[in-house]
């Protein structure tokens, strides 16, 4: 009964729906990455369910009251990367970009995917090594082992085929596979350190997102730096991509555009302030701690305060990840539109005028959600003429835009509603078990 209730989790349903929509848009040339994303999602869903129903999750000191979030954490960045691949494939077919840019993004996708899959294999081994208890009997059956082996084998095959397709020699393919394996191993080591050094600060899915982001960032920075130093060695042997040929030194750290730089500077300031707060560095450490603790919520712990990081990264990541070719002028501002405008208006209207609630236990109101959708659409109608090239406003598919804004707002609303409902149902099940 517990397994069936966990499988019907609203968060998992939303994630699976989004992944299926992305896979539906794939061209035939991205068949291997698409199959890989499907296998990654299946493996992540399987582990997400298994960890929630076993004692393995208790071995990690995650944030109290939070679900594992493995599915969401494992597929978010790979889904974003493959969406970017779809965009670049369309641009390459129109001869708007060079082949090297497409191959570079392909390598970035596989680096992201390898990092996520490496962590999933580590979590699978944790489940297998968890002792059998009366409260949490081990439910890892022969079918589960078969599914895990199938996912690992299929992942390896799709990875080899895809990398071989963009390689010139067999040795080049081997070097690329070693590069992806390096990402996976580093991701496993990093998430173990994060789980050990920052207990009760985040869920596994949140730490997985942070881990993969850091590994991808520093891996790309390392490759670009080595390419600058050794020149043609990297471009011909390691990744068959001329790293840095169209990127300045400053773009290795952050894009030179002002908005990119502003968000990067804000993130650096937040990191410095958080370090001063955690270690109580004189003379401002104690003052910063007292000031920041007044604005904490359920996501924050006594050790780390992550709410401000979440908001900043939510606005900044779409901008950072939209660098290079982009034929969707509103895509970089998705975070600012949804968080800075949509959520703000939804909170104001819902708090002052909200009457009809989405659930009996939640605070979300229908009026607030409607205000959030309306405000984002109004902002889009103003931004498009300013950002788009001449004539773009007349060719914009407004139905797709309205659908995207509506679905994103409803997703944010129902994810929180379903989370509250699932927590209530799990509490009832525990109470029934005690009785």
């Amino acid at each position: 009964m517990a397994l069936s209730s966990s499988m019907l989790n609203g968060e998992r349903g939303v994630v699976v729906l989004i992944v299926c929509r992305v896979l539906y848009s794939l061209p035939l040339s991205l068949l291997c990455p698409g199959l890989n994303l499907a296998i990654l999602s299946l493996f992540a869903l399987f582990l997400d369910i298994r960890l929630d129903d076993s004692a393995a999750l208790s071995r990690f000191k995650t944030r109290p009251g939070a679900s594992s979030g493995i599915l969401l954490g494992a597929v978010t960045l790979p889904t974003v990367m493959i969406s970017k691949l779809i965009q670049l494939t369309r641009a390459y077919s129109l001869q708007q970009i060079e082949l090297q840019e497409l191959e570079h993004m392909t390598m970035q996708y596989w680096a992201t995917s390898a990092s996520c899959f490496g962590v999933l294999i580590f979590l699978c081994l944790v489940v297998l090594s968890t002792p059998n208890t009366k409260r949490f009997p081990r439910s890892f059956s022969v079918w589960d082992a078969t599914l895990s082996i199938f996912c690992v084998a299929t992942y390896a095959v799709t990875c080899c085929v895809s990398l071989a397709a963009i390689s010139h020699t067999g040795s080049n393919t081997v070097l690329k596979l070693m590069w992806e394996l390096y990402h996976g191993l580093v991701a496993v080591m990093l998430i173990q350190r994060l789980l050990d050094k920052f207990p009760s600060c985040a869920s596994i899915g949140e730490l997985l997102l942070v881990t993969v982001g850091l590994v991808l960032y520093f891996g790309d920075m390392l490759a670009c730096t080595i390419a600058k130093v050794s020149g043609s060695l990297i471009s011909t042997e390691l990744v068959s991509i001329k790293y840095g040929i169209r990127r300045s030194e400053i773009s290795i750290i952050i894009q030179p555009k002002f908005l990119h730089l502003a968000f990067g500077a804000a993130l650096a300031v937040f990191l410095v302030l958080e370090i001063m707060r955690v270690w109580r560095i004189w003379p401002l450490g104690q003052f910063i701690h007292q000031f920041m603790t007044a604005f904490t919520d359920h996501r924050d712990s006594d050790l780390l305060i992550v709410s401000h990081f979440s908001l900043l990264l939510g606005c900044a990541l779409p901008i950072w990840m939209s660098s290079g070719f982009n034929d969707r002028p509103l895509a970089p501002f998705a975070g600012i539109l949804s968080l800075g405008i949509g959520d703000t208006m939804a909170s104001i209207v819902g708090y002052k005028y909200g009457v009809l609630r989405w659930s009996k236990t939640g605070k979300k109101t229908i009026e607030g959600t409607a205000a959030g959708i309306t405000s984002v659409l109004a902002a889009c109608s103003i931004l498009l003429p300013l950002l788009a090239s001449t004539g773009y406003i007349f060719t914009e598919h407004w139905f797709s835009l309205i659908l995207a804004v509506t679905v994103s707002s409803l997703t944010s609303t129902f994810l929180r509603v379903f989370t509250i409902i699932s927590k209530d149902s799990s509490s009832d099940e525990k109470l029934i078990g005690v009785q």
Side-chain angles (χ1 to χ4, degrees), residues 15 31 48 60 75 97 238 240-241 295 315 350 358 371 383 403 423:
V15 173
L31 181 61
D48 198 7
F60 305 113
V75 305
I97 63 170
L238 178 58
S240 186
I241 298 163
F295 301 96
C315 294
W358 286 104
L383 281 175
L403 181 63
K423 287 181 179 179

Side-chain angles (χ1 to χ4, degrees), residues 57-90:
L57 189 60
S58 61
R59 297 178 59 177
F60 305 113
K61 297 179 180 179
T62 57
R63 189 175 73 242
S67 62
S68 66
I70 293 175
L71 177 62
L72 181 60
V75 305
T76 297
L77 287 179
T79 302
V80 172
M81 288 295 179
I82 205 170
S83 300
K84 188 70 174 180
L85 264 179
I86 295 173
Q87 188 180 54
L88 293 182
T89 301
R90 182 171 62 247

Side-chain angles (χ1 to χ4, degrees), residues 353-373:
Y353 308 105
V355 177
L356 304 175
R357 300 189 182 275
W358 286 104
S359 67
K360 295 180 180 179
T361 56
K363 298 181 180 179
K364 296 289 183 178
T365 64
I366 297 178
E367 295 86 351
T369 303
I373 295 174

Side-chain angles (χ1 to χ4, degrees), residues 57-70 73 123 191-211 297-307 309-310 313:
L57 189 60
S58 61
R59 297 178 59 177
F60 305 113
K61 297 179 180 179
T62 57
R63 189 175 73 242
S67 62
S68 66
I70 293 175
L123 294 175
I191 197 171
Q192 291 183 77
R193 297 290 294 177
L194 292 176
L195 286 168
D196 179 59
K197 297 299 182 181
F198 301 100
S200 305
C201 292
S203 66
I204 295 180
E206 292 166 346
L207 288 177
L208 179 56
L209 273 173
V210 173
T211 298
D297 60 15
H298 66 281
R299 294 170 295 182
D300 302 311
S301 65
D302 294 334
L303 180 60
L304 285 181
I305 298 179
V306 298
S307 300
F309 285 104
S310 302
L313 291 176

Side-chain angles (χ1 to χ4, degrees), residues 259-272 299 306-320 332 335-336 339-340:
L259 195 55
H260 292 223
L261 182 62
F263 276 122
L267 180 60
V269 171
F270 279 12
L271 286 172
V272 171
R299 294 170 295 182
V306 298
S307 300
H308 50 298
F309 285 104
S310 302
L311 293 174
L312 175 66
L313 291 176
C315 294
L317 283 176
I319 293 177
W320 291 342
I336 298 175
L339 292 176

Side-chain angles (χ1 to χ4, degrees), residues 103-105 107-108 111 175-176 178-180 182-183 214-249 251-253:
E103 291 179 346
H104 176 261
M105 182 53 62
M107 286 295 296
Q108 292 290 75
L175 286 173
K176 289 180 180 179
M178 292 176 60
W179 182 249
E180 308 305 338
Y182 156 79
H183 280 80
L214 290 175
V215 171
L216 184 66
Y217 176 82
F218 286 104
D220 184 61
M221 185 173 66
L222 175 63
C224 290
T225 304
I226 297 175
K228 289 284 185 179
V229 174
S230 58
S232 61
L233 176 63
I234 300 299
S235 64
T236 58
E237 293 298 328
L238 178 58
V239 292
S240 186
I241 298 163
K242 295 181 180 178
Y243 271 101
I245 192 170
R246 298 179 62 184
R247 300 163 69 181
S248 62
E249 284 77 4
S251 67
I252 296 176
I253 302 175

